[in-house]
Amino acid sequence: MRKFITFTVLLFVWFGAVSSNSKVWKSLKKDINIFVISDSGRNGYYDQKPIAEVMGQMAEKISPRCVVAAGDVHHFDGIQSVQDPLWMTNYELIYSHPKLMIPWLPVMGNHEYRGNTKAVIEYSDISRRWCMPDRYYTEVYKVKGATLRLVMIDTTPIIEKYRRSKDAYYADVAKQDYKEQLEWLNTVLSSATEDWVIVVGHHPIYADTGKSSKERRDMQNRVGETLRKYEQKVDLYICGHIHNFQHIRRSDCKIDYIVNSSAARGRSVKAIEGTKFCSPVPGFSVLAADKKSLCLHMINSKGEVLNTITRTK
């Protein structure tokens, strides 16, 4: 009898939490809604499965247009082919909720570069929801007069540490012409006229991290300088790589720099110059936009909103 009462109480608490979350989730919805995940590929371990479940439940309430995957869908050594079983254990069987059967817009992470990067792109021919036309590309959404442009870039080849690596893992990096990519980025941003412009890459431009400072210096000198030219247009730069949440707004730049946490396993973090918010917990983010405002909500593994960044016109 006691076990039955305990189970009933737990069930009541669970339904209460779901109901409470549902109300909050509905309040996040705008005309254009997008999920953002990164550093997720842990074969379902750590918090990957719970976060995937929350994503599915939330998608029922806000109907995201797509899922942006900001790199490292496949830890640790990428994938070898479009038939690699890691596609099932890292992706297909984890994000299986019907409401997540929507376009996924990925970029390469450094772990993808440890494997067959061509196969990452070619998986678009296998999966209807994996939509990766090239290593870098752009996508525009227009709903009820609101327009939003996603600019998806390939950051690993931009960083000299990877280009000069003698590790066979990164043999494909030096084959990529990062200068050509930066020219493309300049062209896309110069002609962008959308209400909201969001650039997505795997590596941070500004962030607290124990990783080499040379990574961020290359990103600042190459990608960062390009973005600053168009700071009147670019609203957010979103990345992963660091496995925690960070929001950085520097006094000398109008762009909000976002680190999206790992959708599986978080890491410690501390505030640095310009930090507005940081958290070590794993999770994902929700982008919500209409004609007048753009919000990015940082979500933990329980579906709770940790922090919201809002930009208005």
PDB file of all heavy atoms in Angstrom, residues 129-156:
ATOM      1  N   ARG A 129      15.533  14.592 -43.080  1.00  0.00           N
ATOM      2  CA  ARG A 129      15.591  15.739 -42.174  1.00  0.00           C
ATOM      3  C   ARG A 129      16.998  16.324 -42.016  1.00  0.00           C
ATOM      4  O   ARG A 129      17.156  17.412 -41.477  1.00  0.00           O
ATOM      5  CB  ARG A 129      15.006  15.383 -40.805  1.00  0.00           C
ATOM      6  CG  ARG A 129      15.695  14.247 -40.087  1.00  0.00           C
ATOM      7  CD  ARG A 129      15.081  14.069 -38.697  1.00  0.00           C
ATOM      8  NE  ARG A 129      15.577  12.868 -38.031  1.00  0.00           N
ATOM      9  CZ  ARG A 129      15.496  12.663 -36.727  1.00  0.00           C
ATOM     10  NH1 ARG A 129      14.949  13.563 -35.950  1.00  0.00           N
ATOM     11  NH2 ARG A 129      15.956  11.548 -36.196  1.00  0.00           N
ATOM     12  N   TRP A 130      18.025  15.588 -42.429  1.00  0.00           N
ATOM     13  CA  TRP A 130      19.404  16.091 -42.349  1.00  0.00           C
ATOM     14  C   TRP A 130      19.654  16.962 -43.569  1.00  0.00           C
ATOM     15  O   TRP A 130      19.840  16.471 -44.684  1.00  0.00           O
ATOM     16  CB  TRP A 130      20.379  14.923 -42.291  1.00  0.00           C
ATOM     17  CG  TRP A 130      21.802  15.304 -41.990  1.00  0.00           C
ATOM     18  CD1 TRP A 130      22.804  15.490 -42.892  1.00  0.00           C
ATOM     19  CD2 TRP A 130      22.384  15.511 -40.697  1.00  0.00           C
ATOM     20  NE1 TRP A 130      23.978  15.814 -42.243  1.00  0.00           N
ATOM     21  CE2 TRP A 130      23.753  15.830 -40.889  1.00  0.00           C
ATOM     22  CE3 TRP A 130      21.894  15.466 -39.388  1.00  0.00           C
ATOM     23  CZ2 TRP A 130      24.623  16.089 -39.831  1.00  0.00           C
ATOM     24  CZ3 TRP A 130      22.756  15.720 -38.335  1.00  0.00           C
ATOM     25  CH2 TRP A 130      24.103  16.031 -38.561  1.00  0.00           C
ATOM     26  N   CYS A 131      19.668  18.287 -43.395  1.00  0.00           N
ATOM     27  CA  CYS A 131      19.704  19.216 -44.523  1.00  0.00           C
ATOM     28  C   CYS A 131      21.004  20.013 -44.502  1.00  0.00           C
ATOM     29  O   CYS A 131      21.064  21.142 -43.994  1.00  0.00           O
ATOM     30  CB  CYS A 131      18.513  20.157 -44.470  1.00  0.00           C
ATOM     31  SG  CYS A 131      16.912  19.318 -44.470  1.00  0.00           S
ATOM     32  N   MET A 132      22.041  19.443 -45.076  1.00  0.00           N
ATOM     33  CA  MET A 132      23.352  20.086 -45.093  1.00  0.00           C
ATOM     34  C   MET A 132      23.858  20.136 -46.533  1.00  0.00           C
ATOM     35  O   MET A 132      24.523  19.217 -47.014  1.00  0.00           O
ATOM     36  CB  MET A 132      24.332  19.319 -44.206  1.00  0.00           C
ATOM     37  CG  MET A 132      25.646  20.036 -43.990  1.00  0.00           C
ATOM     38  SD  MET A 132      26.709  19.127 -42.841  1.00  0.00           S
ATOM     39  CE  MET A 132      28.034  20.325 -42.620  1.00  0.00           C
ATOM     40  N   PRO A 133      23.566  21.211 -47.256  1.00  0.00           N
ATOM     41  CA  PRO A 133      23.933  21.279 -48.669  1.00  0.00           C
ATOM     42  C   PRO A 133      25.428  21.433 -48.913  1.00  0.00           C
ATOM     43  O   PRO A 133      25.920  21.099 -49.992  1.00  0.00           O
ATOM     44  CB  PRO A 133      23.169  22.503 -49.167  1.00  0.00           C
ATOM     45  CG  PRO A 133      23.004  23.360 -47.952  1.00  0.00           C
ATOM     46  CD  PRO A 133      22.827  22.407 -46.829  1.00  0.00           C
ATOM     47  N   ASP A 134      26.164  21.970 -47.926  1.00  0.00           N
ATOM     48  CA  ASP A 134      27.597  22.197 -48.104  1.00  0.00           C
ATOM     49  C   ASP A 134      28.229  22.438 -46.741  1.00  0.00           C
ATOM     50  O   ASP A 134      27.552  22.408 -45.712  1.00  0.00           O
ATOM     51  CB  ASP A 134      27.837  23.403 -49.021  1.00  0.00           C
ATOM     52  CG  ASP A 134      29.091  23.233 -49.877  1.00  0.00           C
ATOM     53  OD1 ASP A 134      30.049  22.585 -49.396  1.00  0.00           O
ATOM     54  OD2 ASP A 134      29.109  23.741 -51.010  1.00  0.00           O
ATOM     55  N   ARG A 135      29.523  22.709 -46.737  1.00  0.00           N
ATOM     56  CA  ARG A 135      30.220  22.959 -45.470  1.00  0.00           C
ATOM     57  C   ARG A 135      29.800  24.289 -44.853  1.00  0.00           C
ATOM     58  O   ARG A 135      29.861  24.458 -43.637  1.00  0.00           O
ATOM     59  CB  ARG A 135      31.741  22.931 -45.696  1.00  0.00           C
ATOM     60  CG  ARG A 135      32.247  21.557 -46.085  1.00  0.00           C
ATOM     61  CD  ARG A 135      33.711  21.561 -46.466  1.00  0.00           C
ATOM     62  NE  ARG A 135      34.068  20.284 -47.054  1.00  0.00           N
ATOM     63  CZ  ARG A 135      34.503  19.223 -46.380  1.00  0.00           C
ATOM     64  NH1 ARG A 135      34.673  19.308 -45.072  1.00  0.00           N
ATOM     65  NH2 ARG A 135      34.786  18.095 -46.994  1.00  0.00           N
ATOM     66  N   TYR A 136      29.420  25.229 -45.675  1.00  0.00           N
ATOM     67  CA  TYR A 136      28.854  26.485 -45.195  1.00  0.00           C
ATOM     68  C   TYR A 136      27.752  26.906 -46.159  1.00  0.00           C
ATOM     69  O   TYR A 136      27.824  26.665 -47.362  1.00  0.00           O
ATOM     70  CB  TYR A 136      29.909  27.575 -45.032  1.00  0.00           C
ATOM     71  CG  TYR A 136      30.845  27.778 -46.207  1.00  0.00           C
ATOM     72  CD1 TYR A 136      30.550  28.701 -47.212  1.00  0.00           C
ATOM     73  CD2 TYR A 136      32.035  27.069 -46.301  1.00  0.00           C
ATOM     74  CE1 TYR A 136      31.408  28.908 -48.283  1.00  0.00           C
ATOM     75  CE2 TYR A 136      32.907  27.262 -47.372  1.00  0.00           C
ATOM     76  CZ  TYR A 136      32.590  28.183 -48.346  1.00  0.00           C
ATOM     77  OH  TYR A 136      33.447  28.378 -49.403  1.00  0.00           O
ATOM     78  N   TYR A 137      26.699  27.496 -45.597  1.00  0.00           N
ATOM     79  CA  TYR A 137      25.505  27.792 -46.395  1.00  0.00           C
ATOM     80  C   TYR A 137      24.617  28.748 -45.604  1.00  0.00           C
ATOM     81  O   TYR A 137      24.886  29.064 -44.433  1.00  0.00           O
ATOM     82  CB  TYR A 137      24.747  26.507 -46.726  1.00  0.00           C
ATOM     83  CG  TYR A 137      24.343  25.682 -45.520  1.00  0.00           C
ATOM     84  CD1 TYR A 137      23.055  25.747 -44.989  1.00  0.00           C
ATOM     85  CD2 TYR A 137      25.247  24.825 -44.886  1.00  0.00           C
ATOM     86  CE1 TYR A 137      22.686  24.999 -43.885  1.00  0.00           C
ATOM     87  CE2 TYR A 137      24.890  24.066 -43.786  1.00  0.00           C
ATOM     88  CZ  TYR A 137      23.605  24.158 -43.282  1.00  0.00           C
ATOM     89  OH  TYR A 137      23.242  23.413 -42.182  1.00  0.00           O
ATOM     90  N   THR A 138      23.543  29.208 -46.218  1.00  0.00           N
ATOM     91  CA  THR A 138      22.621  30.113 -45.541  1.00  0.00           C
ATOM     92  C   THR A 138      21.184  29.704 -45.809  1.00  0.00           C
ATOM     93  O   THR A 138      20.888  29.105 -46.858  1.00  0.00           O
ATOM     94  CB  THR A 138      22.876  31.575 -45.973  1.00  0.00           C
ATOM     95  OG1 THR A 138      22.072  32.455 -45.188  1.00  0.00           O
ATOM     96  CG2 THR A 138      22.592  31.783 -47.439  1.00  0.00           C
ATOM     97  N   GLU A 139      20.316  30.003 -44.865  1.00  0.00           N
ATOM     98  CA  GLU A 139      18.899  29.643 -44.958  1.00  0.00           C
ATOM     99  C   GLU A 139      18.078  30.810 -44.444  1.00  0.00           C
ATOM    100  O   GLU A 139      18.424  31.435 -43.425  1.00  0.00           O
ATOM    101  CB  GLU A 139      18.620  28.393 -44.120  1.00  0.00           C
ATOM    102  CG  GLU A 139      17.235  27.829 -44.254  1.00  0.00           C
ATOM    103  CD  GLU A 139      17.019  27.037 -45.530  1.00  0.00           C
ATOM    104  OE1 GLU A 139      18.021  26.600 -46.141  1.00  0.00           O
ATOM    105  OE2 GLU A 139      15.847  26.858 -45.921  1.00  0.00           O
ATOM    106  N   VAL A 140      16.976  31.119 -45.129  1.00  0.00           N
ATOM    107  CA  VAL A 140      16.122  32.240 -44.741  1.00  0.00           C
ATOM    108  C   VAL A 140      14.717  31.739 -44.429  1.00  0.00           C
ATOM    109  O   VAL A 140      14.162  30.913 -45.163  1.00  0.00           O
ATOM    110  CB  VAL A 140      16.062  33.308 -45.853  1.00  0.00           C
ATOM    111  CG1 VAL A 140      15.050  34.403 -45.495  1.00  0.00           C
ATOM    112  CG2 VAL A 140      17.440  33.917 -46.087  1.00  0.00           C
ATOM    113  N   TYR A 141      14.144  32.252 -43.338  1.00  0.00           N
ATOM    114  CA  TYR A 141      12.770  31.942 -42.959  1.00  0.00           C
ATOM    115  C   TYR A 141      11.953  33.223 -42.983  1.00  0.00           C
ATOM    116  O   TYR A 141      12.405  34.274 -42.500  1.00  0.00           O
ATOM    117  CB  TYR A 141      12.711  31.317 -41.564  1.00  0.00           C
ATOM    118  CG  TYR A 141      13.320  29.935 -41.521  1.00  0.00           C
ATOM    119  CD1 TYR A 141      14.662  29.760 -41.200  1.00  0.00           C
ATOM    120  CD2 TYR A 141      12.566  28.812 -41.852  1.00  0.00           C
ATOM    121  CE1 TYR A 141      15.234  28.507 -41.183  1.00  0.00           C
ATOM    122  CE2 TYR A 141      13.129  27.544 -41.844  1.00  0.00           C
ATOM    123  CZ  TYR A 141      14.462  27.401 -41.513  1.00  0.00           C
ATOM    124  OH  TYR A 141      15.026  26.154 -41.509  1.00  0.00           O
ATOM    125  N   LYS A 142      10.747  33.148 -43.547  1.00  0.00           N
ATOM    126  CA  LYS A 142       9.836  34.277 -43.594  1.00  0.00           C
ATOM    127  C   LYS A 142       8.461  33.802 -43.180  1.00  0.00           C
ATOM    128  O   LYS A 142       7.867  32.942 -43.828  1.00  0.00           O
ATOM    129  CB  LYS A 142       9.790  34.889 -45.004  1.00  0.00           C
ATOM    130  CG  LYS A 142       8.900  36.129 -45.096  1.00  0.00           C
ATOM    131  CD  LYS A 142       8.958  36.768 -46.476  1.00  0.00           C
ATOM    132  CE  LYS A 142       8.099  38.020 -46.526  1.00  0.00           C
ATOM    133  NZ  LYS A 142       8.154  38.679 -47.865  1.00  0.00           N
ATOM    134  N   VAL A 143       7.964  34.350 -42.072  1.00  0.00           N
ATOM    135  CA  VAL A 143       6.660  33.963 -41.540  1.00  0.00           C
ATOM    136  C   VAL A 143       5.932  35.220 -41.055  1.00  0.00           C
ATOM    137  O   VAL A 143       6.472  35.987 -40.245  1.00  0.00           O
ATOM    138  CB  VAL A 143       6.796  32.964 -40.370  1.00  0.00           C
ATOM    139  CG1 VAL A 143       5.413  32.540 -39.877  1.00  0.00           C
ATOM    140  CG2 VAL A 143       7.610  31.753 -40.778  1.00  0.00           C
ATOM    141  N   LYS A 144       4.735  35.430 -41.557  1.00  0.00           N
ATOM    142  CA  LYS A 144       3.901  36.571 -41.142  1.00  0.00           C
ATOM    143  C   LYS A 144       4.655  37.899 -41.227  1.00  0.00           C
ATOM    144  O   LYS A 144       4.525  38.764 -40.359  1.00  0.00           O
ATOM    145  CB  LYS A 144       3.388  36.350 -39.715  1.00  0.00           C
ATOM    146  CG  LYS A 144       2.466  35.154 -39.573  1.00  0.00           C
ATOM    147  CD  LYS A 144       1.972  35.016 -38.138  1.00  0.00           C
ATOM    148  CE  LYS A 144       1.065  33.809 -37.998  1.00  0.00           C
ATOM    149  NZ  LYS A 144       0.591  33.637 -36.591  1.00  0.00           N
ATOM    150  N   GLY A 145       5.469  38.031 -42.244  1.00  0.00           N
ATOM    151  CA  GLY A 145       6.198  39.274 -42.449  1.00  0.00           C
ATOM    152  C   GLY A 145       7.523  39.362 -41.723  1.00  0.00           C
ATOM    153  O   GLY A 145       8.330  40.245 -42.005  1.00  0.00           O
ATOM    154  N   ALA A 146       7.763  38.457 -40.770  1.00  0.00           N
ATOM    155  CA  ALA A 146       9.044  38.428 -40.061  1.00  0.00           C
ATOM    156  C   ALA A 146      10.044  37.604 -40.868  1.00  0.00           C
ATOM    157  O   ALA A 146       9.698  36.545 -41.402  1.00  0.00           O
ATOM    158  CB  ALA A 146       8.881  37.820 -38.676  1.00  0.00           C
ATOM    159  N   THR A 147      11.277  38.103 -40.963  1.00  0.00           N
ATOM    160  CA  THR A 147      12.304  37.387 -41.715  1.00  0.00           C
ATOM    161  C   THR A 147      13.523  37.142 -40.843  1.00  0.00           C
ATOM    162  O   THR A 147      13.919  37.994 -40.051  1.00  0.00           O
ATOM    163  CB  THR A 147      12.722  38.182 -42.970  1.00  0.00           C
ATOM    164  OG1 THR A 147      13.150  39.490 -42.583  1.00  0.00           O
ATOM    165  CG2 THR A 147      11.583  38.281 -43.958  1.00  0.00           C
ATOM    166  N   LEU A 148      14.104  35.963 -40.993  1.00  0.00           N
ATOM    167  CA  LEU A 148      15.281  35.572 -40.205  1.00  0.00           C
ATOM    168  C   LEU A 148      16.236  34.801 -41.096  1.00  0.00           C
ATOM    169  O   LEU A 148      15.830  33.867 -41.789  1.00  0.00           O
ATOM    170  CB  LEU A 148      14.848  34.714 -39.011  1.00  0.00           C
ATOM    171  CG  LEU A 148      15.930  34.257 -38.031  1.00  0.00           C
ATOM    172  CD1 LEU A 148      15.332  34.116 -36.621  1.00  0.00           C
ATOM    173  CD2 LEU A 148      16.558  32.920 -38.443  1.00  0.00           C
ATOM    174  N   ARG A 149      17.497  35.204 -41.082  1.00  0.00           N
ATOM    175  CA  ARG A 149      18.523  34.524 -41.876  1.00  0.00           C
ATOM    176  C   ARG A 149      19.494  33.802 -40.944  1.00  0.00           C
ATOM    177  O   ARG A 149      20.056  34.397 -40.019  1.00  0.00           O
ATOM    178  CB  ARG A 149      19.303  35.509 -42.748  1.00  0.00           C
ATOM    179  CG  ARG A 149      20.408  34.826 -43.585  1.00  0.00           C
ATOM    180  CD  ARG A 149      21.155  35.820 -44.448  1.00  0.00           C
ATOM    181  NE  ARG A 149      20.340  36.334 -45.534  1.00  0.00           N
ATOM    182  CZ  ARG A 149      20.208  35.748 -46.727  1.00  0.00           C
ATOM    183  NH1 ARG A 149      20.844  34.593 -46.972  1.00  0.00           N
ATOM    184  NH2 ARG A 149      19.455  36.288 -47.661  1.00  0.00           N
ATOM    185  N   LEU A 150      19.707  32.517 -41.212  1.00  0.00           N
ATOM    186  CA  LEU A 150      20.746  31.726 -40.560  1.00  0.00           C
ATOM    187  C   LEU A 150      21.938  31.630 -41.497  1.00  0.00           C
ATOM    188  O   LEU A 150      21.783  31.268 -42.672  1.00  0.00           O
ATOM    189  CB  LEU A 150      20.235  30.322 -40.240  1.00  0.00           C
ATOM    190  CG  LEU A 150      19.119  30.210 -39.200  1.00  0.00           C
ATOM    191  CD1 LEU A 150      18.552  28.790 -39.189  1.00  0.00           C
ATOM    192  CD2 LEU A 150      19.622  30.588 -37.817  1.00  0.00           C
ATOM    193  N   VAL A 151      23.105  31.966 -40.987  1.00  0.00           N
ATOM    194  CA  VAL A 151      24.337  31.880 -41.777  1.00  0.00           C
ATOM    195  C   VAL A 151      25.216  30.831 -41.101  1.00  0.00           C
ATOM    196  O   VAL A 151      25.745  31.048 -40.014  1.00  0.00           O
ATOM    197  CB  VAL A 151      25.060  33.231 -41.851  1.00  0.00           C
ATOM    198  CG1 VAL A 151      26.277  33.124 -42.763  1.00  0.00           C
ATOM    199  CG2 VAL A 151      24.112  34.332 -42.340  1.00  0.00           C
ATOM    200  N   MET A 152      25.356  29.683 -41.745  1.00  0.00           N
ATOM    201  CA  MET A 152      26.009  28.518 -41.162  1.00  0.00           C
ATOM    202  C   MET A 152      27.446  28.423 -41.675  1.00  0.00           C
ATOM    203  O   MET A 152      27.667  28.302 -42.889  1.00  0.00           O
ATOM    204  CB  MET A 152      25.237  27.252 -41.522  1.00  0.00           C
ATOM    205  CG  MET A 152      23.716  27.372 -41.382  1.00  0.00           C
ATOM    206  SD  MET A 152      23.170  27.588 -39.671  1.00  0.00           S
ATOM    207  CE  MET A 152      23.420  25.921 -39.058  1.00  0.00           C
ATOM    208  N   ILE A 153      28.423  28.502 -40.767  1.00  0.00           N
ATOM    209  CA  ILE A 153      29.819  28.519 -41.205  1.00  0.00           C
ATOM    210  C   ILE A 153      30.593  27.315 -40.666  1.00  0.00           C
ATOM    211  O   ILE A 153      30.183  26.663 -39.699  1.00  0.00           O
ATOM    212  CB  ILE A 153      30.520  29.839 -40.824  1.00  0.00           C
ATOM    213  CG1 ILE A 153      30.610  30.007 -39.302  1.00  0.00           C
ATOM    214  CG2 ILE A 153      29.807  31.016 -41.465  1.00  0.00           C
ATOM    215  CD1 ILE A 153      31.456  31.214 -38.889  1.00  0.00           C
ATOM    216  N   ASP A 154      31.711  27.053 -41.305  1.00  0.00           N
ATOM    217  CA  ASP A 154      32.568  25.896 -41.006  1.00  0.00           C
ATOM    218  C   ASP A 154      33.839  26.411 -40.332  1.00  0.00           C
ATOM    219  O   ASP A 154      34.771  26.869 -40.997  1.00  0.00           O
ATOM    220  CB  ASP A 154      32.890  25.179 -42.321  1.00  0.00           C
ATOM    221  CG  ASP A 154      33.668  23.890 -42.118  1.00  0.00           C
ATOM    222  OD1 ASP A 154      33.669  23.353 -40.995  1.00  0.00           O
ATOM    223  OD2 ASP A 154      34.278  23.416 -43.101  1.00  0.00           O
ATOM    224  N   THR A 155      33.888  26.352 -38.995  1.00  0.00           N
ATOM    225  CA  THR A 155      34.948  27.062 -38.277  1.00  0.00           C
ATOM    226  C   THR A 155      36.259  26.293 -38.108  1.00  0.00           C
ATOM    227  O   THR A 155      37.314  26.916 -37.949  1.00  0.00           O
ATOM    228  CB  THR A 155      34.452  27.491 -36.886  1.00  0.00           C
ATOM    229  OG1 THR A 155      34.012  26.338 -36.153  1.00  0.00           O
ATOM    230  CG2 THR A 155      33.305  28.483 -37.003  1.00  0.00           C
ATOM    231  N   THR A 156      36.233  24.980 -38.126  1.00  0.00           N
ATOM    232  CA  THR A 156      37.466  24.224 -37.879  1.00  0.00           C
ATOM    233  C   THR A 156      38.584  24.604 -38.850  1.00  0.00           C
ATOM    234  O   THR A 156      39.731  24.828 -38.422  1.00  0.00           O
ATOM    235  CB  THR A 156      37.203  22.711 -37.919  1.00  0.00           C
ATOM    236  OG1 THR A 156      36.169  22.395 -36.973  1.00  0.00           O
ATOM    237  CG2 THR A 156      38.456  21.921 -37.559  1.00  0.00           C
TER     238      THR A 156
END
